[in-house]
């Protein structure tokens, strides 16, 4: 899995992608032609200072890293931290993320826990 780095890739996911919202996480999913699954994580200044924003990013990346199911196909995934992200653990966020990815079709409905 690669990371999204270009602003245009993020903007494309926001504009054309499908979004799934939860009070702790918003997930944008978009199929790509890059031949590989790519992801990006954002945390706005509304969440707090740099320490709090970095914690949000770490929690999201750890939840993604420990996701049991393989992501099927080529996807651009953008995870946006929300206010409740800084108050929850990565294990709780992983379940939210799993639900979003199942709804998008990125992971099979019956896989994992």
């Amino acid at each position: 899995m690669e990371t999204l780095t270009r602003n245009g890739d993020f903007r494309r996911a926001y504009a054309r992608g499908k979004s799934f919202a939860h009070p702790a996480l918003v997930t944008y999913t978009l199929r790509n032609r890059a031949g590989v699954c790519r992801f990006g994580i954002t945390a706005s200044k509304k969440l707090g200072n740099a320490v709090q924003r970095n914690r949000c990013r770490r929690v999201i990346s750890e939840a993604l890293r420990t996701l049991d199911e393989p992501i099927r196909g080529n996807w651009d995934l953008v995870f946006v931290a929300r206010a409740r992200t800084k108050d929850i653990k990565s294990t709780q966020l992983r379940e939210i993320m799993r639900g979003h990815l199942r709804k998008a079709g990125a992971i099979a409905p019956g896989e994992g826990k």
Side-chain angles (χ1 to χ4, degrees):
M1 200 180 295
E2 295 181 4
T3 58
L4 288 174
T5 55
R6 294 183 21 219
N7 188 21
D9 294 334
F10 280 90
R11 287 182 179 271
R12 188 177 309 109
Y14 294 143
R16 297 187 195 148
K18 200 170 184 183
S19 67
F20 304 93
H22 184 273
L25 182 73
V26 177
T27 305
Y28 290 91
T29 60
L30 179 68
R31 289 215 176 255
N32 68 30
R33 295 181 186 190
V36 67
C37 187
R38 305 182 300 178
F39 74 96
I41 300 171
T42 61
S44 77
K45 286 191 173 185
K46 292 179 188 178
L47 296 176
N49 62 19
V51 173
Q52 292 170 325
R53 292 193 308 269
N54 284 331
R55 183 188 188 285
C56 291
R57 285 190 284 265
R58 282 195 316 270
V59 167
I60 292 171
S61 64
E62 179 64 15
L64 183 63
R65 187 186 71 78
T66 60
L67 198 64
D68 301 334
E69 301 88 348
I71 295 175
R72 305 178 308 163
N74 306 325
W75 292 90
D76 283 347
L77 306 171
V78 177
F79 300 102
V80 180
R82 293 183 105 180
R84 286 188 40 202
T85 307
K86 58 187 171 190
D87 300 326
I88 65 173
K89 304 281 186 192
S90 64
T91 53
Q92 295 168 313
L93 195 65
R94 182 176 60 217
E95 297 306 316
I96 297 164
M97 189 180 290
R98 182 178 287 136
H100 288 178
L101 294 176
R102 277 193 181 132
K103 286 179 191 173
I107 58 176
E111 292 181 10
K113 297 177 184 174

